[in-house]
Each structure stands twice: as C-alpha cells, then as structure tokens.
Amino acid sequence: MPTRRSFLLSSAAATAALPLAAQSAPVLPAPIAALSNRSHEAVPITLAERQRRVDRARELMKQQKIAAIAITGGTSLVYFTGIRSGVSERMFAWILPASGAPYIVCPAFEEARMTEQLSQMPDGAHTRIYTWNEDEDPYALLVAHIPGPGPLALDERVPFVYADRLAKAAPSRTIVSGIPVTAGCRAIKSSAELAIMQLANNITLSCYKAAYESGHPGMTTAEFTALVSKGFAQCGVSGAISCQTGEWSALPHGSIKPQVIRENQIVLIDDGCVLEGYVSDISRTFVYGKASDRQKKIFDVVHAAQAAALSAAKVGAPCHVVDDAARKIVTDAGFGPDYKTFSHRLGHGIGMDGHEWPYLVRGNNQPLEVGMCFSDEPGIYLPGEFGVRLEDDWHMAAQGGVMFTPTSSSLEHPFD
C-alpha cells in the first residue's frame, strides 16, 4: 500500500524526469510574457566610431593645451577603447597624448590580456604597453612616457590616490581636470548612440507598461519592481527600478520602508535599462483606481512643466533656460518659489552613465548643442501627502528638443 512518504518520493522522481525548463520556468503575467528579446536589434559601436572619438579628444586637448589625458577604469575607458576594467589599488591606465600613439600602463600579469584587446582599440596597432611589477612604481612609469611639456589631464573618475601619486611623480607637470575632454566628447551623441538610446527607451517604456498592466492594489512595491525586472529579462536587457507609493512618493529618491500599493494612491516608478552600455531613465506616476482632484491638479502642473522645458530647448540656448521654463510653470501654479516643492534640477545629461555632463540647472550657461541628450523630469513633492514626477529622455536636434518616448497622458491612463 502506498504511503505518504513513497508518494512524495515518486512525485519528486517524476518531477526530476521533466525537462529542466519545465521544472523551473516561471509563470509570468500575460503582459510580461508577451514581451520579446529586442537586444539583438541594437547595433554595437564600431571601431571606426571609437577612432573618431579619439580624434575628437585630441582636438580638444590641443585647444586646451593639454599634453596627455590619463583614463583609468570606468565609463570613459569603455567609451574610447572598449576596454572594461575596474579600479583597484593596482594602477591601470590608458594614456592618450595630444600628439603621438596612445599607451597603456598596467601590471605585468595583465600584459597578455591587454595585448589581445589591442586589435579592438583605436590606434591599437601603434599602442605600446608598459608594465610594472608589484614592487615597482607605476606612476613614475606613466609620467616618464608623456611626450613633450604641458599639463596631464585626468578623467574625473580617476581615484584621488592615483592623482596624488601622479602629482608627486611629476612635480614639474601640472595636473588638470580632463572633464573638458571627456565630457566634450561624450556630451555629443552620434547617430549610432542615439539609435541605441532610442531602443533602450522603447524597451523601458514597454516593460513599464507591461508591469502596470500586471500590477494591482495590494501588491508590495518590491513585487512591482520584480515585474519590471522580469520584463527587462524578457527583453534581453538588465536594469533597475524603484517604486514608491503614497506618502513615500514625496521623497524624490524614495524610502527603504516596505510599502503596499493601495487603490487611488499615487505610485511613482523610476530608472531604466542598460543596452550596449547605454542607459535609459524614465519615471511614471499613476494610480490604480480613481485619482483625486488634488492629485490630478499636481499631475497637470508637472505635465505642463515637462512640456515647457522641452519647448525651451533651442540650439545655442544656455542649459539653464530649460530648468527656468519648467520652474516658472511650477511657481506660477503656486508651488514655488525655487526648490520649495520642485526640489531638484530639471534634468541631467544621459548616455553611458545615468547622470553625466551637462546638467539642466540654474546657472549653467553651457550652450545646448545638437546631439546632447538629457532627462526632462520636473516634479512636485508634498511631504506627508504624495509626489508626482514625469521623466522622459530627449535629445537636442536642429529643430529643437525631441523626446525618445511618448509622454504620460494622465494618472489613470499613464501609457495611453
């Protein structure tokens, strides 16, 4: 006669006999399951484009009278070379002189790994690799090969310990910021970069919509973010998402407190995905159920501010006018002045980093140029009540600002 134990063992054996996919396949809500892998649609950045970036960097260095720029692990290293390297106590750097071939300074045990990547780097055939052993000084090695006089520029992500030791290794050579070079290149996106960013934004919005259609009151915010993450996985990308609701939506970057989505309460989601090294950053605010008149009023003001900001974007105009336009709408509606309820800048540059130069903020007189990409994210935050933020990414075109994605239409129909 079968016992409970034998039944359980036989059931386990039957499960083990199933294909692995059948055992572990998650049951996804229909809107999430309907998403498909779109990562293959992205066209990777080519070696020829990276070479153009290097050529542009050299032009900027000559304008700034910089002898060379040193870039350690991080986004700018990937941008120029395609090399992905972290930062540790062992100094590694790619050095681009204003004139002459680039060179790499790295630990001796990294030489083979770097050599195999030279064919994928700009000027790789002419790039020298200088190595150092654990008891040697890499900083002296780096400065010894800088051709000619002039300042050494450092990428903004170079650790202080590197900068300090480089300065001591070359006391007669000025150390300067490399931001005019790196941001001068990275701030202007090419058509290839814009195409990747367009796809990243499209994917993000589709995952947000699928999660919204799959969500419901009673769900925790953690459960909602898991829906978006599953959507990203379906689309073949990675990403991050935050979700705040009710009074916690009045904190622009949210709260760590556990939260439950309630009917007729504000839900605010933010962040995006990563595709071919480029990121998206979108915020949506909505309710499940019926929005109150006060919620609708705040949404309408923020919606108008977002539109005013985009309309103010003209080639040659200073960056601050975009922030000015949005802030005026908020203030004129009685939610000012200044940063009283709209407590952050209007937007940030975006590309390979979620926040990068330049920034749309009061006092920034840098002119807007074709190819620059930004977030447009006005918000009104009412402590103890709720917050509303609408964020879409856009790029500067000759005719004005162009959104990558359709903007939100209302709290009750955020993806119509």
Side-chain angles (χ1 to χ4, degrees):
M1 179 178 178
T3 65
R4 180 174 179 272
R5 177 179 173 80
S6 64
F7 173 78
L8 292 174
L9 289 172
S10 64
S11 298
T15 300
L18 291 172
L20 183 60
Q23 296 180 42
S24 58
V27 178
L28 297 174
I32 302 291
L35 297 169
S36 59
N37 192 328
R38 301 191 61 191
S39 61
H40 64 278
E41 297 176 31
V43 178
I45 298 300
T46 64
L47 178 58
E49 175 148 345
R50 293 195 197 281
Q51 183 64 59
R52 289 191 289 272
R53 296 171 177 179
V54 167
D55 294 341
R56 170 63 176 158
R58 285 192 172 112
E59 291 174 7
L60 294 172
M61 289 162 65
K62 289 172 182 175
Q63 292 173 16
Q64 298 284 329
K65 296 181 170 49
I66 291 170
I69 185 169
I71 297 176
T72 56
T75 308
S76 290
L77 183 67
V78 180
Y79 176 84
F80 287 110
T81 71
I83 295 175
R84 297 182 183 277
S85 177
V87 175
S88 75
E89 77 283 3
R90 293 186 176 102
M91 201 277 290
F92 164 89
W94 175 76
I95 299 88
L96 178 68
S99 299
Y103 61 96
I104 291 170
V105 174
C106 69
F109 63 79
E110 293 278 30
E111 183 175 10
R113 187 169 73 90
M114 289 299 104
T115 299
E116 70 180 10
Q117 297 188 62
L118 291 179
S119 63
Q120 302 172 44
M121 293 169 50
D123 290 340
H126 304 103
T127 298
R128 292 287 304 273
I129 299 176
Y130 298 104
T131 63
W132 56 279
N133 287 306
E134 298 278 32
D135 61 344
E136 296 176 325
D137 184 355
Y139 305 98
L141 182 62
L142 188 156
V143 299
H145 294 282
I146 299 172
L152 170 63
L154 302 182
D155 177 57
E156 63 184 298
R157 301 299 173 88
V158 171
F160 172 79
V161 65
Y162 290 10
D164 181 57
R165 294 183 181 180
L166 283 168
K168 291 174 181 175
S172 62
R173 191 182 294 273
T174 306
I175 304 294
V176 298
S177 170
I179 291 174
V181 178
T182 54
C185 293
R186 289 175 53 188
I188 309 299
K189 273 63 178 182
S190 68
S191 58
E193 292 177 288
L194 292 176
I196 295 172
M197 294 180 68
Q198 180 67 69
L199 181 57
N201 277 272
N202 291 347
I203 289 172
T204 298
L205 198 61
S206 70
C207 292
Y208 279 14
K209 182 174 185 288
Y212 168 75
E213 292 172 348
S214 304
H216 55 79
M219 174 177 281
T220 67
T221 53
E223 289 170 334
F224 190 95
T225 62
L227 287 175
V228 181
S229 295
K230 289 173 183 175
F232 286 153
Q234 284 287 101
C235 292
V237 298
S238 60
I241 173 72
S242 67
C243 178
Q244 311 297 322
T245 189
E247 65 180 298
W248 306 117
S249 61
L251 301 178
H253 283 170
S255 168
I256 62 172
K257 293 182 182 295
Q259 300 166 46
V260 177
I261 296 171
R262 305 295 184 192
E263 190 172 8
N264 307 329
Q265 281 195 345
I266 289 288
V267 180
L268 173 55
I269 60 175
D270 185 26
D271 288 318
C273 74
V274 183
L275 178 67
E276 288 293 329
Y278 289 80
V279 302
S280 60
D281 192 3
I282 298 175
S283 297
R284 286 292 180 267
T285 305
F286 56 85
V287 299
Y288 285 112
K290 184 173 177 57
S292 69
D293 289 344
R294 181 163 173 77
Q295 290 169 339
K296 289 178 181 179
K297 177 183 178 181
I298 302 300
F299 179 93
D300 289 344
V301 174
V302 174
H303 191 273
Q306 188 186 47
L310 190 70
S311 295
K314 307 295 181 186
V315 173
C319 283
H320 72 79
V321 303
V322 185
D323 182 281
D324 296 343
R327 207 162 297 279
K328 184 177 188 306
I329 295 292
V330 173
T331 299
D332 288 352
F335 296 97
D338 297 327
Y339 295 93
K340 181 180 179 182
T341 63
F342 179 10
S343 54
H344 52 75
R345 66 194 171 208
L346 184 278
H348 51 80
I350 188 169
M352 295 182 73
D353 285 324
H355 290 196
E356 61 182 43
W357 304 95
Y359 297 95
L360 303 176
V361 63
R362 180 183 296 166
N364 186 1
N365 290 313
Q366 182 174 350
L368 293 167
E369 298 181 56
V370 172
M372 287 181 171
C373 294
F374 302 94
S375 67
D376 180 352
E377 50 177 309
I380 292 177
Y381 308 96
L382 306 174
E385 291 187 68
F386 60 85
V388 172
R389 179 166 68 253
L390 297 177
E391 178 182 15
D392 292 273
D393 300 333
W394 62 281
H395 62 94
M396 193 70 239
Q399 71 273 23
V402 178
M403 290 289 194
F404 284 109
T405 46
T407 58
S408 182
S409 60
S410 71
L411 288 170
E412 295 171 0
H413 305 284
F415 298 99
D416 286 355

